[in-house]
Amino acid sequence: MASVVQPSHPQLAVSAAIFRDDRILLVRRARSPAKGFYSLPGGRVEFGETLHEAVHREVDEETSLKIDIAGLAGWREVVPGTAGGGHYLIMSFAARWIAGEPVLNDELDDFKWLKPDALGDLKVTGGLQEVIQAARDLLRA
């Protein structure tokens, strides 16, 4: 298996904290980065694409869901560790589910609609619970 060559500069990415009724959508990554971890659907922003366009495209590609973006819920930065990996700045948006049922692409291998305070012992990406809470607060405002 060939190793993935990471860019030598930070990558801009987006994610969506999608709420349906009182539940958040979590997806499990099927490959690196974050393989085996539950997180929010999302990915890299393409050149010339707005952040909102990127959120809609990534959510559609990964889950086939239609959403309404409420606003920026927060951000986090992932920097390369001792094992390598990429450098990402992830802008996370609060969103409401509008239509569709999750149909996962090959980047994901599981999904769950969960109450935000019921993540239990799921293996989740760093900062996920803080982003979920910020998104929940934004949607309640």
Side-chain angles (χ1 to χ4, degrees), residues 125-140:
T125 54
L128 180 64
Q129 290 171 318
E130 292 82 3
V131 168
I132 290 172
Q133 186 58 52
R136 190 180 193 184
D137 292 346
L138 186 78
L139 291 170
R140 287 179 175 164

Side-chain angles (χ1 to χ4, degrees), residues 69-91:
I69 299 171
L72 184 65
W75 62 275
R76 70 182 192 90
E77 187 173 19
V78 178
V79 294
T82 56
H87 184 171
Y88 298 94
L89 176 60
I90 306 167
M91 309 298 288

Side-chain angles (χ1 to χ4, degrees), residues 95-129:
R96 290 179 185 88
W97 170 87
I98 293 179
E101 294 302 326
V103 177
L104 304 181
N105 70 5
D106 64 349
E107 295 176 24
L108 308 172
D109 62 12
D110 190 28
F111 75 90
K112 297 178 183 302
W113 288 103
L114 297 171
K115 291 194 178 265
D117 54 355
L119 303 187
D121 60 354
L122 279 183
K123 194 162 91 169
V124 298
T125 54
L128 180 64
Q129 290 171 318

Side-chain angles (χ1 to χ4, degrees), residues 26-31 33-40 108-110 122-126 128:
L26 295 185
V27 294
R28 187 172 59 199
R29 298 278 157 201
R31 57 188 188 209
K35 180 179 179 176
F37 284 81
Y38 282 89
S39 192
L40 304 173
L108 308 172
D109 62 12
D110 190 28
L122 279 183
K123 194 162 91 169
V124 298
T125 54
L128 180 64

